[in-house]
Amino acid sequence: MNDIYKSEGTTLESLRNLLNILGKPFRPGDRIGIKLHWGERGNKNFLHPMYARQIAAWLKDAGMRPFVFDTTVLYSGGRREAAESLKTAAEHGFTEEYLGCPVLIGDGMDGRDVIDIPGIRRHFDTVQVAGIIPKTDGFVFLSHFKGHMEASFGGAIKNMSMGMASRAQKQRMHADAYPVLIPDKCIRCGVCKEVCPVGAATLPEEGYPVYDLEKCIGCAQCIALCPQSALKIFWETDISVFQEKLVETAASIWKIIASNAIFINALIQVVTECDCVPGNHPKIAEDFGFIGGYHPVAVDEESIKTVGADKFDNAHPFIPWRRQFSYASEIGFAPRVNQQ
Ligand code: SF4
Ligand code: SF4
C-alpha cells in the first residue's frame, strides 16, 4: 500500500485522526516498537513525548504491546551510551510512567545487540542493525521532519536507516566525511576537541585546532557544535554517496519489516538542524501537522512537497538530497504514490 494521508494541525486529535485512517497492520498481542528520536541533550526542537504517548495508547487500545525505542549514536553527548541515552530520554519526558509503555535501547545496553542482514550489494553486502528488529512484531516510525546537515532533511528514511543502524553501520555511512577548518573564523575555543568522541581533534598550545583524519570517524559532531561555524564538511567521495548509503541501509531494513510498519512524519517545528544538535534552531516552515503512510520514501516525498523543496535547498545548499529519491528508484525501493 502506497497511499499517503495528511492530517493538519499539531493537536493530539489531529494525530489520532491520522492513526485511525492508517489503521493497524498488527495483531492483538503483537509487540510493537515505536521508533523515534528523543532529542540530544540541550536540543529544544525534538517532538513532545505526548505524541508517542498517544500512539502507545492507540496501540494498547487494540491489545498490542508497544514500547518506545532509539539506538545509541556515534558522537559524544547525551545519547552515545545506552544508560546516558535513557537518562536524556527521561529528562525530555520519555519515561515509562508518562508514556505508559517501556522505553528501550534497540541495540542493547552495551550497544552490542546487533545483527547482520543482507544489503542491496551496491555499497553494502550486509547491513548491521539493531538486534531489536527480529524481536519485534511491527513498527510505528514517528519521525520529526526537519533539516539535517548531511542529508538536508531528516524524516522517515533517516529514522529507519540511521535510527535503526548499529554504531558500526552508522560509521560505515558517515565514513567519507571529515571536518575542514576555516581559520579566519576560529576563536580557539576548544569545543571541537571537547566533543570529539575519538580524540581526533586536538588544540595545540598555539595555532589552530588539528584534525587527525586517520582517527576521525566522520561523525560531524565538531562541525555541528562549533560556535563560530568555523568547520565545514569535506567529503572524501562524492557527497551523493552518503545519500545513497542512507537509502541503501533503509532499503535493507525495509525488506524485513515492510508488511508490518507504518510511518508518521510530524511536520512540527520544522527547523534547519537535526534533533541530534543541541540548541534551538531556526524554523524554516510553519507547522503543518502529520503525514502518514506505509512506505518511508512516499511519506518523505510528500513531506518535502508540503514544506517546499526550496526550504531545504536554502537551509543546506549543495546537499544533493534529491539523490535519495533517485537512488531509491534505482534499487527498487520507491513506491507509486496515490494521494488522499
Ligand atoms: S570549535 Fe570551532 S571555533 Fe572552537 S576551536 Fe574548534 S574550530 Fe575553532
Ligand atoms: S574530528 Fe571527526 S570524529 Fe572528531 S568530532 Fe569531528 S567529525 Fe567527529
Side-chain angles (χ1 to χ4, degrees):
M1 288 186 290
N2 297 321
D3 297 341
I4 290 291
Y5 302 95
K6 296 169 127 180
S7 185
E8 285 192 45
T10 62
T11 62
L12 293 178
E13 193 188 356
S14 168
L15 174 59
R16 188 88 185 189
N17 289 341
L18 180 69
L19 289 168
N20 288 337
I21 294 167
L22 286 171
K24 306 175 183 83
F26 317 122
R27 291 163 304 186
D30 276 357
R31 200 164 171 257
I32 308 299
I34 303 170
K35 173 67 186 72
L36 49 71
H37 188 320
W38 45 63
E40 183 49 76
R41 185 172 292 143
N43 177 270
K44 305 293 181 201
N45 307 120
F46 62 88
L47 276 185
H48 194 283
M50 66 181 174
Y51 299 120
R53 183 190 193 190
Q54 178 77 351
I55 294 171
W58 175 73
L59 291 166
K60 285 195 295 184
D61 283 351
M64 284 119 207
R65 296 177 296 142
F67 63 93
V68 159
F69 75 103
D70 199 359
T71 54
T72 57
V73 299
L74 283 179
Y75 41 82
S76 56
R79 295 188 313 126
R80 181 171 168 83
E81 306 297 338
E84 199 61 19
S85 190
L86 289 174
K87 204 169 146 211
T88 301
E91 285 165 8
H92 289 176
F94 293 84
T95 61
E96 181 164 355
E97 189 184 25
Y98 177 75
L99 298 170
C101 68
V103 182
L104 306 177
I105 300 294
D107 50 342
M109 290 306 288
D110 58 1
R112 293 185 189 176
D113 181 9
V114 298
I115 57 163
D116 289 303
I117 62 173
I120 303 295
R121 300 185 190 284
R122 292 224 188 159
H123 293 292
F124 305 120
D125 285 345
T126 60
V127 162
Q128 195 179 70
V129 295
I132 207 158
I133 293 176
K135 300 172 198 161
T136 305
D137 300 307
F139 295 91
V140 177
F141 290 86
L142 175 61
S143 309
H144 180 205
F145 196 73
K146 72 283 166 198
H148 187 273
M149 188 199 314
E150 293 175 334
S152 190
F153 70 93
I157 296 170
K158 189 162 179 301
N159 193 13
M160 187 167 79
S161 172
M162 200 64 84
M164 300 271 268
S166 71
R167 277 162 66 164
Q169 183 67 25
K170 286 181 172 96
Q171 190 171 334
R172 289 176 203 158
M173 286 188 267
H174 279 295
D176 306 317
Y178 301 107
V180 172
L181 185 72
I182 308 166
D184 290 353
K185 291 188 173 181
C186 178
I187 56 169
R188 281 183 40 85
C189 67
V191 167
C192 50
K193 177 186 167 211
E194 202 182 299
V195 300
C196 179
V198 294
T202 52
L203 186 62
E205 286 200 3
E206 287 182 16
Y208 295 113
V210 177
Y211 306 93
D212 182 342
L213 301 191
E214 291 292 315
K215 283 190 188 168
C216 176
I217 58 171
C219 71
Q221 177 87 333
C222 55
I223 301 163
L225 295 181
C226 171
Q228 297 295 111
S229 302
L231 293 166
K232 59 182 182 181
I233 296 182
F234 168 74
W235 292 91
E236 195 170 68
T237 56
D238 183 334
I239 186 171
S240 296
V241 171
F242 175 76
Q243 319 298 318
E244 294 174 4
K245 287 182 173 177
L246 192 67
V247 169
E248 193 163 325
T249 299
S252 305
I253 296 170
W254 179 245
K255 283 192 166 182
I256 295 177
I257 66 166
S259 55
N260 299 310
I262 60 175
F263 297 84
I264 298 164
N265 279 2
L267 281 61
I268 297 168
Q269 289 262 322
V270 185
V271 294
T272 53
E273 299 300 334
C274 179
D275 299 341
C276 311
V277 182
N280 191 9
H281 305 288
K283 275 178 91 166
I284 56 176
E286 290 307 310
D287 290 348
F288 170 79
F290 301 92
I291 295 181
Y294 310 95
H295 197 297
V297 176
V299 172
D300 276 358
E301 271 183 324
E302 190 58 32
S303 300
I304 291 259
K305 246 190 258 171
T306 303
V307 169
D310 59 313
K311 305 289 193 335
F312 296 98
D313 289 332
N314 293 337
H316 297 284
F318 315 119
I319 303 276
W321 57 265
R322 290 171 180 81
R323 181 60 182 145
Q324 292 185 41
F325 297 108
S326 61
Y327 191 66
S329 287
E330 282 172 27
I331 62 174
F333 178 44
R336 285 166 56 93
V337 179
N338 303 319
Q339 302 215 7
Q340 304 292 314

